[in-house]
Amino acid sequence: AQKVTQAQTEISVVEKEDVTLDCVYETRDTTYYLFWYKQPPSGELVFLIRRNSFDEQNEISGRYSWNFQKSTSSFNFTITASQVVDSAVYFCALSEIDSYFVANNLFFGTGTRLTVIP
Amino acid sequence: EAQVTQNPRYLITVTGKKLTVTCSQNMNHEYMSWYRQDPGLGLRQIYYSMNVEVTDKGDVPEGYKVSRKEKRNFPLILESPSPNQTSLYFCASRGLGLAGRYNEQFFGPGTRLTVL
């Protein structure tokens, strides 16, 4: 069965500090997708990144970067030089791929609430 | 504009009074699903549908019903709401597309439900 663990329930940082949000997953499948979503105080879910299990390359997008390590089943998210607008709940999620190479349902972690203090 | 809409966005009701939360998408997506979000529990799937007239239970289906009579609509029905169904609900949709390709999942804006 699949499982996504976000052990950090809440994190507070001062503006301009770097912060890493941890995500550890469990799956019996060798092919799967991993995701990060942001939920700002307004409540909507904002897609940040998708990664498939074949691609372990790290990714950088502006101040955001993601470190995918299959050896430790982790998909960590780092925000560099944090800003107040980064304050949100962040969810990591996993989707397994079936034998027909179709992505199945999304399983979410419990989320990490990030507060950036000005 | 491609979107998933939900109505109502906010609802306060009382125990036992049947209610329906509507979900509609304009992207001709086959797959639709409902999630509930609760503090400390993240998002959990309630029901999903792979196409018209094809629905299946997610992780927390008790107390909910769904139907998929049309491709664009996937209403969530609470026949007899209870206070433990107070939650934030999200509808989502995506195309099933070609094998090996993940099609983006679009989320609705959420419906905040309070059952007194």
Side-chain angles (χ1 to χ4, degrees), chain B residues 29-56:
Chain B
H29 285 165
E30 293 85 1
Y31 179 98
M32 297 185 74
S33 64
W34 277 102
Y35 296 85
R36 61 176 288 173
Q37 181 184 350
D38 302 291
L41 296 176
L43 281 83
R44 294 175 295 167
Q45 192 176 54
I46 303 170
Y47 269 95
Y48 65 97
S49 169
M50 300 290 277
N51 215 323
V52 175
E53 302 292 0
V54 181
T55 62
D56 210 344

Side-chain angles (χ1 to χ4, degrees), chain A residues 33 35 37 39 42-45 47 50 89 91 95 100-111, chain B residues 9 31 35 37 40-43 45 48 59 88 90 94 96 98-102 104-105 107-109:
Chain A
Y33 288 104
F35 305 80
Y37 285 86
Q39 186 178 46
S42 51
E44 75 273 21
L45 286 166
F47 167 81
R50 175 183 71 249
V89 179
F91 291 100
S95 180
Y100 297 97
F101 297 101
V102 175
N104 289 327
N105 302 327
L106 268 180
F107 289 90
F108 285 84
T110 52
Chain B
R9 295 289 312 281
Y31 179 98
Y35 296 85
Q37 181 184 350
L41 296 176
L43 281 83
Q45 192 176 54
Y48 65 97
D59 296 317
L88 177 59
F90 287 98
R94 63 180 169 90
L96 291 179
L98 298 173
R101 182 174 184 273
Y102 183 89
E104 209 54 63
Q105 179 150 265
F107 283 90

